Amino acid sequence: MDKLIHVVEDDDDIRFIVEYILIESGYRVESSATAKEFSAYMTHLRPDLILLDVMLPDGNGIELCRNLKSDIETHEIKIIIMSAHAAEKAVLEEACADDFISKPFDLDYLIDHVKKILPA
């Protein structure tokens, strides 16, 4: 599997666990802890999937998602929003995300959602 996933998550522990489980599942993984790091990354590479936290220290994941989905160069990138605070339906509609995962989540549940969005 050569699919690239970018994880945008400010919590170091969550980011580490998500990266680890994705790598163990055969994905290439990059990550950012802030919206600024993520924006810098997006100037160089285009991942196949973005796992995007809603609450970031310097930005809002819903706004980032909406901007990516409205940009002709990035609108086809699949995005899964992760949040402990947002309501699923509102996030999917407002952010135009491809999927939503509520925190806390089971790691098998996460991988199932990733595989649904990025089939082998």
Side-chain angles (χ1 to χ4, degrees):
M1 197 176 305
D2 199 32
K3 302 285 185 173
L4 175 61
I5 300 175
H6 194 95
V7 179
V8 186
E9 169 63 60
D10 62 317
D11 184 296
D12 294 336
D13 295 332
I14 294 172
R15 191 173 61 252
F16 175 80
I17 291 167
V18 170
E19 284 181 43
Y20 178 80
I21 196 72
L22 290 170
I23 290 168
E24 287 295 308
S25 297
Y27 296 98
R28 292 184 302 132
V29 181
E30 299 283 339
S31 66
S32 301
T34 66
K36 183 178 179 180
E37 283 179 22
F38 174 65
S39 294
Y41 170 87
M42 288 298 290
T43 64
H44 304 294
L45 290 171
R46 294 288 186 259
D48 298 293
L49 171 65
I50 299 167
L51 292 176
L52 183 58
D53 187 20
V54 169
M55 296 182 73
L56 298 168
D58 62 343
N60 179 308
I62 292 172
E63 187 176 307
L64 285 172
C65 183
R66 195 172 37 236
N67 291 342
L68 290 165
K69 289 296 189 177
S70 65
D71 186 324
I72 190 76
E73 293 187 20
T74 58
H75 75 278
E76 291 187 11
I77 297 172
K78 301 296 184 190
I79 300 174
I80 298 176
I81 295 280
M82 305 181 295
S83 178
H85 307 287
E88 178 178 4
K89 187 174 182 189
V91 168
L92 290 173
E93 289 175 6
E94 186 179 347
C96 303
D98 297 286
D99 203 352
F100 176 86
I101 296 176
S102 181
K103 292 180 185 177
F105 49 80
D106 177 79
L107 295 176
D108 290 331
Y109 182 80
L110 170 71
I111 292 300
D112 288 345
H113 277 256
V114 168
K115 287 180 178 176
K116 180 177 79 174
I117 296 291
L118 280 183

